[in-house]
Every structure is written in C-alpha cells, then in structure tokens.
C-alpha cells in the first residue's frame, strides 16, 4: 500500500547537508532497509530516533523518512513538505491517521514501494530541478542533414554556456563521436548501458561519457551491438534529462520500441526536410510515424528549393509548424572535412539559425 496525501515537493535546499535525507526510526530492521535504499540511490542520510535537536536538520532536510514506530515521537514537530511515513503492515488502517497527525505527504509500505522511494531519494540527492529541454532531430529522408543539424544545435548550446548532452540514437549512423572528431575519446558508449534498468544516476551518467567541444556525447562504438533494450533507453534518457540544460537527440527515421521511448521524453522534434517533392513525400511518412508519440513536431526546411516550393509551402504540405529555414552552407553538406563540427565557430548562417532556435524555444520552455 502506497498513497499520497498532498503533492507538495520537498524543499530544494536548505541548511545542513544538501541532498541528505533524514531518517527517524528506532526499528532496527526498518532502518537497515532504509539505509540500503539510500545507498542504492547514492545518498548518505542522517539518522535519529526522534526529532533532531536542534531542529535545523528536521526543517532543512530535503526529504524526511519517518518510520511508523516513530510517528508518535515526531507528532509535535513543525509541519513541512517532504515527509514520508514508512511502514510494513499492509493491513494497518491506522497508518493514515498517523500520517495526517505528523503532516506526512506520502504513506509508503515496504517492500512494495522500494523503487518509488529509491527514485525519490535519488531526486533529492541529485538536487533535481527543471529537466533539460530535450530536442529530437530526425531526417525526412536519407541525407537530409539531420545529424549535422543535431551536432550544430548541441555545439551552439554548449557554446552559450548551457549544460549540454548530445545523444546518438541511430546505431547505423556511423557515430556522432566521429562527427565531432572524438572517436578515440575515453568514455562509455551505448552498449555499456544495455543492461541498465530502473534508475541511472544523472551525475554518474554525465561523468562517464566522452566530453567533446564542452558537451557530453552518448554515441555508439564500432562493435556489433546495434540495439539497446527499451527499458535501458528509457532509464538513460531520463537520467540525461534530470541534469537540466539541454539534451539533443539525433534520431533514426525508423520508429522501434527504443526510439518510441525517446520520443515519449522529447519536448519537441525537428523534422529536417530538403525542399523537393520526393523529400516532402518521404517526410510525410516519417511525420506520421513520429507524430503518433511526439505531439510537438516542427519542420525545418533545407534548401535549395525546387520550383514552386518555399519553406512555408513545405510546412503546409506536411501540416506541421515551421521551425525555420535551415541555411544552405558547405558545412551542412561536408560537416567533417575540416575537423571542426558544424556551428563550432559561432559564425555563419547555420550558427545563427541554431542561436535563434535556442533563444526562441528556451523562452517557450520558461513560459510553459
């Protein structure tokens, strides 16, 4: 049995050790379980038998786990959000009354609620705030320039000082680490996360990945692994988003279970479409598949334009909002010849397109 009484979030910070939950219990068995769950979440808690004296720890802890045995001892403590009453007796109806008496906003019974509690503890340990603005880039047809635009968007975000993570979701694309000149850079690639399930630590994920051009890159290695289980994809991308800033995902044009997990976590998608009729026809099929999962899909049109077509007409034919006209420049067609990723200089039409894109969508995100 688990249940929520209120939905107030725990405080983000305060005095004492930021991110350290507080455990209040005298039940040795329950304490062992809670310490084990804290260790799984990467947190080192404070432990007390009753309300700490002085009471600064009670008020400042981002999360307070009160054993059912200690409910009477904390009844007079100051009311605060982020209190969880933890017990084991599924048949004890009185637990709800005790939760109300201590101002708990959640009642949790072990072992059923262990995964929820690990996630909650990890959230406060990592200091989770606003999740990363997550943008997927997908080509309307092969050779549309989606990978190049994804790299340029990520490089631009990092250059603007945002925490940025670039995710290569296309195992057949050759590797975005290669595109960024970092195929030999130390760090983990997708196959290392194939066994992941449950929660992946955001900080640990970021530190494990190659750092190239002031951003982190999750790409594929040169081995035989061409797929990662959907649950691992879900866990890894959720960890990437928890760090804040921006996450840019280079998507394949097919939608399998793993890609569907990514689409479900995107804030918006960019469909890159060359301005030619065959490309528009192909992009319509891609948009139909992607749109089944992703609600905010916008079209980025790439010239040169076929007779009778412009960016607005392409958007109209596809029935999608127009994100803009992706500038035509040599970097878009030959992004890796110079050894520098597209957009790295901060100059030129492509860099300006990326800067204006981030300015616009970041304002939208803050207003949402």
């Amino acid at each position: 049995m688990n249940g929520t009484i209120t939905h107030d979030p725990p405080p983000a910070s305060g005095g004492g050790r930021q991110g350290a939950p507080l455990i209040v219990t005298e039940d040795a068995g329950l304490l062992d379980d809670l310490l084990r769950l804290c260790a799984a979440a990467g947190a080192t808690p404070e432990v007390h038998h009753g309300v700490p004296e002085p009471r600064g720890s009670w008020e400042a802890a981002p999360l307070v786990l009160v054993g059912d045995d200690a409910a009477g001892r904390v009844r007079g403590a100051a009311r605060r959000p982020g209190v969880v009453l933890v017990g084991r007796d599924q048949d004890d109806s009185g637990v709800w009354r005790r939760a109300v008496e201590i101002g708990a906003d959640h009642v949790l019974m072990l072992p059923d609620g262990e995964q929820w509690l690990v996630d909650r503890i990890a959230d406060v340990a990592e200091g989770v705030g606003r999740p990363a603005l997550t943008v997927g880039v997908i080509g309307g047809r092969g050779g549309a320039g989606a990978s190049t635009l994804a790299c340029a968007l990520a490089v631009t975000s990092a250059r603007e000082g945002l925490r940025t993570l670039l995710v290569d979701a296309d195992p057949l694309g050759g590797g975005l680490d290669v595109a960024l000149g970092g195929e030999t850079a130390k760090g983990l690639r997708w196959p290392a996360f194939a066994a992941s399930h449950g929660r992946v630590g955001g900080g640990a994920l970021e530190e494990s990945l190659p750092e190239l051009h002031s951003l982190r890159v999750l790409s594929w290695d040169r081995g035989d692994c061409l797929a990662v289980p959907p649950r691992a994809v879900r866990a890894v991308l959720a960890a990437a988003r928890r760090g804040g800033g921006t996450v840019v995902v280079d998507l394949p044009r097919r939608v399998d279970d793993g890609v569907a997990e990514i689409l479900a976590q995107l804030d918006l998608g960019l469909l890159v479409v060359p301005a030619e009729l065959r490309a528009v026809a192909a992009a319509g099929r891609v948009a139909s598949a992607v749109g089944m999962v992703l609600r905010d899909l916008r079209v980025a049109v790439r010239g040169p334009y076929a007779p009778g077509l412009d960016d607005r007409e392409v958007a109209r034919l596809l029935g999608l909002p127009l994100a803009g006209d992706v500038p035509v420049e040599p970097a878009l067609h030959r992004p890796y010849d110079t050894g520098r990723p597209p957009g790295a200089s901060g100059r030129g039409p492509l860099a300006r397109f990326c800067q204006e894109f981030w300015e616009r969508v970041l304002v939208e995100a803050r207003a949402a």
Side-chain angles (χ1 to χ4, degrees):
M1 176 179 67
N2 303 310
T4 300
I5 297 176
T6 70
H7 295 278
D8 294 329
S13 62
R17 290 181 296 162
Q18 183 176 354
L22 173 66
I23 297 175
V24 181
T25 185
E26 284 186 324
D27 183 330
L30 180 61
L31 177 60
D32 285 344
D33 285 339
L34 294 177
L35 290 174
R36 172 177 56 82
L37 297 177
C38 284
T44 303
E46 293 186 32
V47 180
H48 294 271
H49 296 316
V51 178
E53 293 292 346
R55 298 195 175 190
S57 295
W58 172 269
E59 297 169 352
L63 182 67
V64 178
L65 309 178
V66 178
D68 196 26
D69 65 290
R73 296 194 295 277
V74 304
R75 190 175 295 137
R79 295 299 177 100
R80 49 148 297 162
V83 175
V84 180
L85 184 62
V86 185
R88 286 201 185 91
D89 188 352
Q90 302 279 352
D91 300 321
D92 181 8
S93 60
V95 68
W96 295 99
R97 173 181 51 80
R98 294 190 291 277
V100 171
E101 290 173 349
I102 67 172
D105 58 43
H106 203 94
V107 174
L108 181 138
M109 291 295 167
L110 300 180
D112 291 354
E114 286 193 356
Q115 187 58 58
W116 181 92
L117 189 54
V118 168
D119 289 346
R120 186 77 177 266
I121 296 168
D123 280 345
V124 301
E126 291 183 0
V128 172
R130 180 185 289 272
L133 177 61
T134 306
V135 177
V137 186
I138 186 168
R141 66 152 168 81
S147 296
T148 300
L149 181 57
C151 288
L153 287 170
V155 168
T156 302
S157 171
R159 192 177 59 250
E160 295 297 317
L162 295 172
R163 175 260 186 191
T164 305
L165 198 151
L166 176 61
V167 178
D168 182 358
D170 186 359
L172 301 179
L176 290 187
D177 54 348
V178 176
L180 296 174
E183 61 270 26
T184 62
K186 293 182 179 179
L188 299 183
R189 270 68 173 178
W190 267 118
F193 299 98
S196 300
H197 59 88
R199 185 189 179 96
V200 175
L205 170 69
E206 189 167 356
E207 292 175 4
S208 72
L209 300 178
E211 183 175 7
L212 304 168
H213 306 282
S214 301
L215 58 93
R216 297 285 179 166
V217 182
L218 175 54
S219 188
W220 296 86
D221 61 15
R222 265 32 86 189
D224 295 330
C225 179
L226 297 178
V228 172
R231 66 178 185 178
V233 174
R234 179 172 61 250
V236 169
L237 191 61
R241 297 184 72 238
R242 284 196 300 272
T246 67
V247 175
V248 180
V249 186
D250 181 28
L251 293 161
R253 289 187 297 126
R254 70 185 187 285
V255 179
D256 57 19
D257 290 342
V259 173
E261 292 288 355
I262 295 174
L263 292 174
Q265 296 194 53
L266 295 181
D267 294 301
L268 66 94
L270 288 178
L271 180 64
V272 184
V273 184
E276 56 189 47
L277 288 177
R278 287 187 63 191
V280 173
R285 297 175 67 88
V286 176
S288 178
V290 171
M292 295 177 66
V293 183
L294 178 61
R295 284 183 289 182
D296 189 354
L297 180 63
R298 311 177 191 183
V299 61
V301 184
R302 197 201 83 191
Y305 289 87
L309 286 181
D310 60 18
D311 53 359
R312 295 183 184 277
E313 179 64 9
V314 171
R316 187 192 68 80
L317 290 171
L318 291 170
L320 295 173
L322 178 62
D325 171 37
V326 180
V328 177
E329 62 177 48
L332 195 61
H333 299 281
R334 299 185 301 276
Y336 318 130
D337 292 352
T338 63
R340 301 190 67 192
S345 68
R347 298 184 299 273
L350 181 60
R352 287 195 297 273
F353 173 89
C354 293
Q355 290 167 353
E356 292 170 0
F357 171 82
W358 285 123
E359 289 172 2
R360 182 169 64 254
V361 298
L362 288 168
V363 168
E364 292 175 4
R366 285 192 291 267

